[in-house]
Amino acid sequence: MIQDFVEWGVAGRQMQGETLSGDLHLVKQRENEVLIAVADGLGHGQAAAEAATLALSTVDEHSGEPLVRILEHCSRRLRSTRGVVMSVALLDVVEDSMEWLGVGNVAGVLVHAGTDGHRVQESLLPSQGVVGIQLPPLRARAVKIASGDTIVLATDGIRPGFEDELVLFD
């Protein structure tokens, strides 16, 4: 079970006047790993939700492949949509490592649990582009993780600088 490896949660809401959101997520366990994906369909409403849903179903379908290949599959499947921006992360609990990559403005922050009360943050630096429209050259970045670390992926609905105000609990 995913709960054996990680605790996770999600928050979201639709734009005022909309019944659907194009901001969607997927969390899936694969062996000793947990795959996390956040997709934000361009625009808002039904067309954005359809693009994000297709992106995440493609991630799920190809979840056993490397992250770069997963996003390449997504880009091919999303060509007839308005596209998405998205970030993906793969946590390996045996190796205490994480690979992550992003395309567009889905922010990623890794907050390392500090032993002295101070926390250290690393940021995902996504490539510019849109999955399904203009996929840039992709390269996943590997980082070390440890018990107590926190990973946050956030769409552009969250204001820039949110990571400086994160309140984390032990």
Side-chain angles (χ1 to χ4, degrees), residues 2-97:
I2 292 172
Q3 293 83 355
D4 295 339
F5 300 133
V6 298
E7 294 179 42
W8 65 277
V10 64
R13 68 177 184 191
Q14 295 82 13
M15 290 187 69
Q16 187 170 355
E18 298 287 345
T19 59
L20 297 171
S21 172
D23 295 356
L24 300 176
H25 71 282
L26 171 77
V27 179
K28 181 176 183 171
Q29 184 174 337
R30 42 180 252 192
E31 296 292 321
N32 294 321
E33 301 172 321
V34 177
L35 177 65
I36 303 167
V38 173
D40 180 358
L42 277 101
H44 52 73
Q46 183 172 344
E50 288 171 357
T53 298
L54 182 57
L56 294 180
S57 69
T58 304
V59 171
D60 189 33
E61 180 181 334
H62 296 281
S63 63
E65 298 185 38
L67 297 181
V68 168
R69 296 271 302 141
I70 290 171
L71 285 188
E72 290 170 346
H73 287 298
C74 287
S75 196
R76 281 192 291 280
R77 293 254 328 257
L78 291 168
R79 286 190 182 134
S80 63
T81 72
R82 59 175 55 184
V84 301
V85 292
M86 67 187 302
S87 290
V88 292
L90 182 64
L91 289 69
D92 185 322
V93 297
V94 173
E95 298 293 324
D96 292 329
S97 66

Side-chain angles (χ1 to χ4, degrees), residues 107-109 119 152-155 158-166:
V109 177
R119 60 187 200 189
V152 178
L153 298 177
T155 64
I158 303 298
R159 69 177 154 53
F162 74 91
E163 62 276 6
D164 296 329
E165 297 178 28
L166 287 175

Side-chain angles (χ1 to χ4, degrees), residues 110-114 118-122 143-146 148-150:
L110 169 62
V111 181
H112 294 284
H118 294 92
R119 60 187 200 189
V120 177
Q121 294 182 179
E122 293 186 58
V143 295
K144 294 301 279 179
I145 58 173
D149 287 356
T150 300

